[in-house]
Structure formats: structure tokens, C-alpha cells
């Protein structure tokens, strides 16, 4: 195993099973910086596709020494790979006159699909889709010779879907890992070392599915009246925002490998302080020496908020060279709330 930091300084890895007694905890360097095949962790071999697992497509290995290395990251995606972007936009509009009054309606549909290979898992296409629907009605009413009223209502719905890998209820057991809760998505493995010595390749994350549908309902009314040198306007606006957050989190586990297990303990330093340029998170991963594990499972959040505002305005033309714009406006936003009771909001007016 060869690792390098941003200065391409060689890293020496040590055998964690050779750890001596404290306080020095001396270890023996792994010969040739190459981990013997028999010492490789079986889970790591399955994750990387060295050991075949039914239904799992092997990951491509990074090229850390070739000409494709850029910004200290490997080019995991083949040069011949292609990304597909499919955009759609449809708009329909209708205007109808009723004497001096007009009713206008509009509907817009947008859809964008992106299909590209993911940098962490180039054998699995990364699919994203976003877009939605937007509809509105506007009624303009002419009232006599001096007044106009405009009423508007609208509904907007959008979503942003990240498809992620194909669900597999047996993914954890197939990899040889515990199943912590009902899970059908890949665990994550990150091996960015304690000193960022694994710049070139920092983890295997197949990006579990996400979806963020949102909806906005709006209504407004504006009354305009002209009297002499004054144009008076009165109105209000209302909007209701509804955002749903759907994320899987890491129900299969987020495994972190720090590089401490393959590092050499620094003499005279507290336990856990390694000698510079020793140890690699990737080497820890290959040996199955996990630094810590976290398991996260996110509920579905239904965030809600409303806004209200009203205003009065007077555009007063004092003379041909002077116009005063006078007005007052009041706005009120409700606190964010979750319709399922999953969000807490600080209320300074609540006693206790």
C-alpha cells in the first residue's frame, strides 16, 4: 500500500498486531509497505469487489500515480464515460377578457434528469431528477375610471430526487457486516487519516437516496385607486411553504478509519499521538481496524411555515419635478414547525 499527503511524502505503515507494551507501544513496520494478502480483511475485499458478492458490482480502484490525478484526487471515472442531461420545459397560458376585465391562467412543467457516473462508485450511475409544476390564476378587474383590483393565486410544487444505488435488503449481511436496523442501503466507509495523509482517496460512499419535495401556496390582492395627484395602493400577500425532507442517513453504518492502528506511537507523547508520516486510514480499512462507527437513521420531516404581509402606499406627484413615494408595510413570518411534531422551536414568550 502506498499513500501520500499533499507533499507526496512517503507514508510508513505498521502492523497493529505487533504492538508492544506501554508506554512506548512500539510496532513493526510492514515489509515493503505491502499488506500480505492473508491479512486483508474479508469485509474490505467484498467492498472493493475483490471477493465477489452476488448482486454487488465491484468498485473501480483509483489511479493515484497516473496522469489523470488532479487536485489530489484520483480519476475514478473512465475518460470515455458520458453524462446525460435531459431537460424539459412546457408552458401553457390562457387569457380571457370579460368586458374590461381579464382572467389569465398559466401552467409550467419542468423536468431535468442527470445521469452520470459517481466518483465514489463509477460502475453505478448517479441519477438525479428535479423539476415540478407551477400554476397560477390572475384576475384583473377594472372598477370605474379610477380603480383597478388585481387578485392572484398560485401553487408551486418542486422536487429534487437523488436515486442512489439499487436497494438491497441483504447488503449488510452480504458484506459480512452486522445489520443494525431495517436497512437496504450501503454502509459508508471513510478512511481520511488523522493528518489527511489519504488525500487521493478518502472513502467509499454510494450516496443513499434522497428526495426534497416542496410546495408553495400563495395568494395576493392589490387595489389601486387614482385621485388627483395621488395613486393609492392597498394590498396583502400570503404564502404557505411546505418542505418534505426524505433522507436515509446511514442505517447500515458509517465506518471511519483514522490511520492510528497502522501508525507508530510517538515517543514521549500522550497515547494516541503518532509519529509524523506513519499510518494510513486506507491501510486501517484494508486490515479491518475501525476507529469508530456511527449509525444514523433520519425520519421524514414535514417543515411548515407561513408568511403574511400587508401594505398601503401613496405615490404623490407634488409637481412635475417631484414625486413622493409614501407607504407603510407590515410583515409576519411564523416560526418553522414540523407537522409530525419532530421539530422544536425556541419561544421566548413561553414561561418555564
Amino acid at each position: 500500500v502506498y499513500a501520500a499527503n499533499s507533499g507526496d511524502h512517503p507514508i510508513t505503515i505498521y502492523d497493529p498486531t505487533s504492538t508492544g507494551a506501554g508506554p512506548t507501544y512500539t510496532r513493526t513496520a510492514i515489509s515493503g509497505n505491502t499488506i500480505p494478502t492473508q491479512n486483508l480483511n474479508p469485509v474490505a475485499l467484498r467492498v472493493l469487489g475483490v471477493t465477489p458478492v452476488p448482486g454487488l458490482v465491484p468498485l473501480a480502484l483509483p489511479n493515484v500515480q497516473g496522469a489523470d490525478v488532479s487536485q489530489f484526487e484520483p480519476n475514478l471515472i473512465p475518460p470515455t464515460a458520458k453524462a446525460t442531461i435531459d431537460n424539459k420545459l412546457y408552458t401553457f397560458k390562457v387569457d380571457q377578457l370579460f368586458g374590461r376585465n381579464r382572467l389569465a391562467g398559466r401552467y409550467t412543467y419542468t423536468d431535468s434528469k442527470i445521469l452520470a457516473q459517481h466518483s465514489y462508485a463509477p460502475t453505478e450511475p448517479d441519477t438525479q431528477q428535479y423539476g415540478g409544476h407551477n400554476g397560477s390564476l390572475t384576475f384583473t378587474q377594472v372598477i370605474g375610471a379610477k380603480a383597478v383590483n388585481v387578485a392572484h393565486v398560485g401553487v408551486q410544487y418542486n422536487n429534487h430526487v437523488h436515486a442512489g444505488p439499487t436497494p438491497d435488503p441483504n447488503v449488510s449481511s452480504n458484506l459480512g457486516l452486522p445489520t443494525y436496523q431495517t436497512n437496504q442501503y450501503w454502509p459508508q466507509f471513510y478512511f481520511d487519516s488523522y493528518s489527511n495523509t489519504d488525500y487521493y482517496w478518502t472513502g467509499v460512499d454510494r450516496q443513499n437516496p434522497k428526495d426534497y419535495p416542496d410546495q408553495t401556496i400563495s395568494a395576493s390582492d392589490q387595489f389601486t385607486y387614482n385621485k388627483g395627484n395621488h395613486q393609492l395602493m392597498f394590498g396583502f400577500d400570503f404564502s404557505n411553504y411546505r418542505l418534505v425532507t426524505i433522507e436515509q442517513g446511514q442505517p447500515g453504518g458509517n465506518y471511519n478509519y483514522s490511520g492510528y492502528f497502522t501508525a507508530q506511537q510517538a515517543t514521549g507523547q500522550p497515547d494516541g499521538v503518532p509519529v509524523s508520516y506513519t499510518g494510513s486510514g486506507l491501510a486501517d480499512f484494508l486490515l479491518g481496524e475501525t476507529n469508530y462507527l456511527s449509525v444514523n437513521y433520519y425520519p421524514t420531516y414535514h417543515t411548515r411555515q407561513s408568511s403574511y404581509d400587508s401594505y398601503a402606499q401613496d405615490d404623490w406627484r407634488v409637481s412635475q419635478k417631484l414625486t413622493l413615494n409614501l407607504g407603510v408595510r407590515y410583515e409576519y413570518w411564523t416560526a418553522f414547525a414540523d407537522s409530525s411534531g419532530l421539530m422544536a422551536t425556541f419561544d421566548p414568550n413561553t414561561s418555564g
Side-chain angles (χ1 to χ4, degrees), residues 247-300:
E247 294 184 346
Q248 299 299 323
Q250 297 83 38
N254 184 359
Y255 294 81
N256 181 271
Y257 304 87
S258 62
Y260 288 118
F261 288 95
T262 51
Q264 182 73 287
Q265 168 69 32
T267 304
Q269 296 294 325
D271 292 352
V273 177
V275 175
S276 297
Y277 304 113
T278 67
S280 164
L282 177 56
D284 283 10
F285 167 71
L286 294 174
L287 291 170
E289 301 290 354
T290 306
N291 184 36
Y292 68 82
L293 163 69
S294 62
V295 178
N296 300 316
Y297 185 80
Y298 305 143
T300 299

Side-chain angles (χ1 to χ4, degrees), residues 135-136 152-156 216-220 237-241:
S136 65
H152 174 84
V153 292
V155 177
Q156 179 177 316
T216 301
I217 302 173
S218 60
S220 65
D237 295 284
F238 165 78
S239 294
N240 178 256
Y241 309 97

